[in-house]
Amino acid sequence: AQTVTQSQPEMSVQEAETVTLSCTYDTSENNYYLFWYKQPPSRQMILVIRQEAYKQQNATENRFSVNFQKAAKSFSLKISDSQLGDTAMYFCAFPRGGGSQGNLIFGKGTKLSVKP
Amino acid sequence: ETGVTQSPTHLIKTRGQQVTLRCSSQSGHNTVSWYQQALGQGPQFIFQYYREEENGRGNFPPRFSGLQFPNYSSELNVNALELDDSALYLCASSSGGGAEQFFGPGTRLTVL
């Protein structure tokens, strides 16, 4: 079965510090994308970063970066220089059936609080 | 470029009633997916529509049905509402060549 596990229900970090959110997944597919989504209190799901499984280089988007370990099926998100606006639920997800366009399987999420 | 929009924002229904939720996809997108997000959980896939045809379905009963129109907007219909149907319903659109689903703000459904 294809699953996504986020083992940290809640985390908090001081403004300007760095925090890492964990995600593990299980799939038998070889080519797929992995995603981190952010859902602020406004509810709108926003894509933070994506990683293509066939690329060994870890994806980076400004203050957000991932540590992708394909063999371990691990996909963690690092947020550097945390800002108050980063406070949100963060979901790890990947497409069922592999590829990039399949329906997404989400983890249960990590609630991140950034404190001033 | 207009993003994904959903209506209504909030909805309250009673058990046994029927409800229709609407989604307008982002310009240029021909694929719409619907997700149910229960409180404190991640979204769960309901179904996907591609060019007006259902293109995949999650583990939801037949009383969850949908439509996609020629302009690629979509409806989610739920019949015989149950208390457990209370959730945030998210719509996401994407294009055939893209690798990202763009989400709408969701419809909060409460079933009493």
Side-chain angles (χ1 to χ4, degrees):
Chain A
Q2 295 176 312
T3 59
V4 178
T5 302
Q6 294 180 248
S7 59
Q8 305 150 314
E10 293 192 41
M11 294 191 72
S12 67
V13 63
Q14 291 297 126
E15 197 174 5
E17 293 187 345
T18 295
V19 64
T20 298
L21 309 183
S22 300
C23 172
T24 57
Y25 62 95
D26 190 19
T27 181
S28 58
E29 301 293 334
N30 194 43
N31 294 318
Y32 49 89
Y33 282 70
L34 290 161
F35 304 92
W36 276 99
Y37 280 89
K38 167 186 177 180
Q39 188 177 40
S42 65
R43 309 181 322 201
Q44 188 136 12
M45 198 77 76
I46 302 163
L47 180 66
V48 174
I49 196 165
R50 63 172 171 255
Q51 172 78 41
E52 298 170 60
Y54 68 89
K55 289 187 176 179
Q56 292 188 340
Q57 186 174 4
N58 289 322
T60 299
E61 288 285 343
N62 301 314
R63 300 183 293 108
F64 300 88
S65 61
V66 301
N67 182 3
F68 174 49
Q69 303 289 331
K70 190 175 182 180
K73 294 181 181 175
S74 171
F75 181 58
S76 60
L77 174 69
K78 186 172 82 171
I79 306 174
S80 303
D81 185 25
S82 296
Q83 300 176 0
L84 296 178
D86 295 334
T87 293
M89 286 291 294
Y90 286 82
F91 294 96
C92 176
F94 75 95
R96 189 186 309 274
S100 64
Q101 286 285 56
N103 69 79
L104 296 173
I105 303 170
F106 286 84
K108 290 188 174 182
T110 296
K111 183 178 182 180
L112 177 66
S113 299
V114 180
K115 301 184 184 305
Chain B
E1 182 178 87
T2 305
V4 180
T5 60
Q6 292 186 244
S7 63
T9 305
H10 297 91
L11 202 52
I12 299 175
K13 292 285 188 178
T14 55
R15 195 170 48 181
Q17 284 189 313
Q18 178 265 343
V19 69
T20 298
L21 310 182
R22 295 177 175 83
C23 170
S24 292
S25 59
Q26 187 163 313
S27 177
H29 288 181
N30 55 20
T31 303
V32 172
S33 301
W34 286 92
Y35 295 84
Q36 180 195 66
Q37 186 177 16
L39 197 62
Q41 302 292 319
Q44 292 208 348
F45 174 73
I46 302 174
F47 44 57
Q48 183 181 80
Y49 278 83
Y50 170 67
R51 292 188 176 180
E52 302 179 59
E53 296 287 331
E54 187 177 290
N55 181 39
R57 189 180 182 91
N59 189 26
F60 280 82
R63 59 189 185 83
F64 285 78
S65 63
L67 282 174
Q68 188 179 32
F69 299 99
N71 66 354
Y72 302 130
S73 66
S74 178
E75 285 182 356
L76 164 65
N77 298 291
V78 187
N79 293 321
L81 283 167
E82 300 177 0
L83 297 180
D84 285 349
D85 295 334
S86 294
L88 180 67
Y89 288 84
L90 297 168
C91 164
S93 74
S94 58
S95 59
E100 177 179 352
Q101 295 192 17
F102 292 82
F103 283 82
T107 294
R108 171 74 65 190
L109 173 65
T110 301
V111 182
L112 301 176

